[in-house]
Amino acid sequence: MAEPLPVVRLKNAWHSTHPWIFQRLVEKPAQRPKPGSIVDVVGVDGVWIGRGFYNGHSRIALRMLETDPDVEVDAGWFSRKIGEAIRLRREFLRLDDVSNAWRVVHSEGDGISGLVVDRYDDLIVVEFFSAGAYRHREWIFNALREHFPGCRFHSFADEHVQKQESFDYKPTLGTQPATVTEHGIHFRADPAGAHKTGFFADQRENREWLSRLCEGKRVLDLCCNTGGFGVYAAARGASEVVGIDIDAAVLDLARENAHLNKVKPRFIQADIFPWLRDAANNGERFDVVILDPAKMTRDREQVIQALKKYLDMNKAALAVVKPGGLFATFSCTGLVSEEQFTDMLRRAAFYAGRTVQVLKVAGAGPDHPWLAQVQESRYLKAVFCRVLD
């Protein structure tokens, strides 16, 4: 018989299906479990509600995992959950037919709060966003080994997450890159040397869709990172591709990705604001302009400032789109809603004196599912436009 789990009681009635329960709604246990412990949760009336991760140090005190009293949250539970997530990708979405790079587990979207797993060929990248996922990492690694025999692991947690969730985790060192393929285009995924997981599989469908419109076109890829959109465009027959990023390290990877595909985009290290100002003043115009900046903020208090940055960036980028040209603009700031982002685009077009016709609004690929009651998992916004005049 397993030992009884610690019990955590709520202060108020709870009727939500959202898996997060905040600290202000939870009574402090007499003996506080360690951050990330699995606990039984009972309502203010003492009636059992479910099981989840408890963290007395985090703003999110409880991350609910299971609401069936007969189901234990143990190694077998993690194995089943991860197995279900992989079957969705392999059997339903048939992602192996398209790519050997896809998201394996998307946190709440796959029922494991605070866990993100990406697959890059034989390399499995695990990112911890909660003390609970971190505390049970060996169960997670073992479950992943069942489905990816012989795989390599790279694991990490951002410093701000470790501080918020009260755990210490040093990232894997010395991980060698993997080579991945999607829609016939090749990339190096280097989680030890580039931003975040080393490659952004969330843009797979967006890269493919836009690249099919780039043949014979002059393309500008702003905040190009490791060259995803630019390399796709060049491989699909763009007449010229220019990629701009301020980070020299990611541009080295972008050039390597171009070499893998035997294409020759021109990558320039620069701050996009002065570069765009000079380009506009010199009469430079592009048939396709892509703007995909890094996350602007993790702080709800800074959302207005983030929207101002997006406004300035989009206004500057619109100035170098040819009349009738395409403009693809993105936001991966989860705290900025789709409505806020499209309203920002409306204002940017007004201030730039351009008429923008929206062709398509999209997000991350289907390997990044989100629950209807957990909008926080829906972070990526993609807007594809024509600039009419």
Side-chain angles (χ1 to χ4, degrees):
M1 290 288 290
E3 287 189 19
L5 294 174
V7 176
V8 173
R9 182 185 291 264
L10 303 186
K11 290 180 180 177
N12 304 97
W14 181 253
H15 303 294
S16 175
T17 56
H18 196 294
W20 297 352
I21 303 179
F22 291 94
Q23 199 70 246
R24 67 182 181 275
L25 302 175
V26 177
E27 287 187 5
K28 289 183 179 178
Q31 291 186 315
R32 190 174 297 187
K34 291 179 180 178
S37 295
I38 297 168
V39 300
D40 278 323
V41 182
V42 299
V44 67
D45 54 3
V47 173
W48 189 88
I49 291 174
R51 296 190 174 97
F53 296 140
Y54 173 76
N55 191 344
H57 298 278
S58 172
R59 191 171 66 95
I60 304 171
L62 290 165
R63 295 172 180 265
M64 302 302 291
L65 302 171
E66 184 56 62
T67 55
D68 185 337
D70 297 325
V71 176
E72 298 296 328
V73 179
D74 53 15
W77 184 91
F78 280 91
S79 179
R80 290 191 300 275
K81 278 286 182 186
I82 289 171
E84 288 167 11
I86 291 169
R87 279 190 292 279
L88 169 66
R89 276 79 174 170
R90 284 191 156 150
E91 297 174 18
F92 188 78
L93 298 175
R94 301 182 66 85
L95 286 172
D96 284 333
D97 296 347
V98 173
S99 179
N100 61 353
W102 34 269
R103 178 144 294 181
V104 177
V105 177
H106 189 53
S107 196
E108 287 80 12
D110 288 297
I112 308 178
S113 185
L115 176 68
V116 166
V117 181
D118 288 298
R119 177 249 177 139
Y120 303 118
D121 193 32
D122 70 325
L123 177 59
I124 305 299
V125 178
V126 182
E127 184 172 6
F128 301 110
F129 285 92
S130 70
Y134 160 72
R135 187 172 184 81
H136 299 90
R137 60 194 179 280
E138 288 309 316
W139 288 353
I140 291 164
F141 289 142
N142 288 339
L144 290 165
R145 285 188 190 100
E146 293 173 20
H147 295 278
F148 301 101
C151 67
R152 300 180 289 137
F153 284 109
H154 179 87
S155 57
F156 69 103
D158 280 351
E159 285 186 13
H160 80 280
V161 170
Q162 295 185 47
K163 185 175 180 181
Q164 288 173 352
E165 290 283 313
S166 191
F167 69 92
D168 295 307
Y169 190 58
K170 291 183 171 56
T172 311
L173 299 176
T175 305
Q176 292 301 304
T179 301
V180 301
T181 303
E182 57 175 48
H183 296 293
I185 313 293
H186 310 293
F187 294 98
R188 296 282 270 178
D190 184 12
H195 293 160
K196 300 294 285 181
T197 59
F199 179 72
F200 296 105
D202 54 0
Q203 292 277 28
R204 178 180 53 250
E205 281 74 17
N206 295 328
R207 285 189 284 261
E208 170 67 2
W209 189 85
L210 185 62
S211 72
R212 297 295 179 179
L213 305 175
C214 290
E215 185 176 0
K217 302 292 175 52
R218 191 173 190 228
V219 176
L220 175 63
D221 186 4
L222 297 165
C223 305
C224 66
N225 197 262
T226 58
F229 280 100
V231 169
Y232 256 85
R236 298 284 190 249
S239 61
E240 180 187 0
V241 176
V242 179
I244 311 292
D245 203 286
I246 201 166
D247 188 333
V250 299
L251 289 178
D252 287 341
L253 263 176
R255 293 184 184 100
E256 190 174 347
N257 287 332
H259 180 73
L260 277 174
N261 293 278
K262 299 181 173 58
V263 294
K264 295 182 178 179
R266 182 159 53 99
F267 291 111
I268 300 168
Q269 183 187 6
D271 182 320
I272 67 166
F273 284 107
W275 192 92
L276 284 168
R277 184 182 61 242
D278 291 345
N281 289 339
N282 292 333
E284 291 266 21
R285 297 295 182 268
F286 294 84
D287 301 297
V288 181
V289 175
I290 300 142
L291 176 60
D292 186 16
K295 182 184 290 189
M296 292 292 182
T297 186
R298 298 183 179 92
D299 184 349
R300 290 185 186 277
E301 303 299 316
Q302 295 299 316
V303 168
I304 299 302
Q305 284 302 113
L307 286 165
K308 287 179 180 176
K309 289 179 188 175
Y310 280 124
L311 178 66
D312 291 341
M313 281 185 171
N314 280 263
K315 177 186 170 187
L318 282 165
V320 297
V321 184
K322 280 184 183 176
L326 292 172
F327 179 50
T329 182
F330 303 89
S331 166
C332 62
T333 305
L335 293 173
V336 170
S337 70
E338 183 180 291
E339 183 180 5
Q340 288 174 312
F341 189 64
T342 53
D343 184 63
M344 174 283 303
L345 178 60
R346 174 190 64 79
R347 290 183 290 121
F350 174 79
Y351 291 123
R354 310 300 300 268
T355 302
V356 167
Q357 179 187 44
V358 176
L359 306 178
K360 178 180 176 181
V361 177
D367 49 336
H368 294 64
W370 48 279
L371 299 177
Q373 69 268 33
V374 189
Q375 293 282 330
E376 290 84 352
S377 298
R378 187 181 179 224
Y379 64 96
L380 182 65
K381 279 75 61 179
V383 185
F384 300 92
C385 319
R386 281 181 75 223
V387 180
L388 298 181
D389 52 15

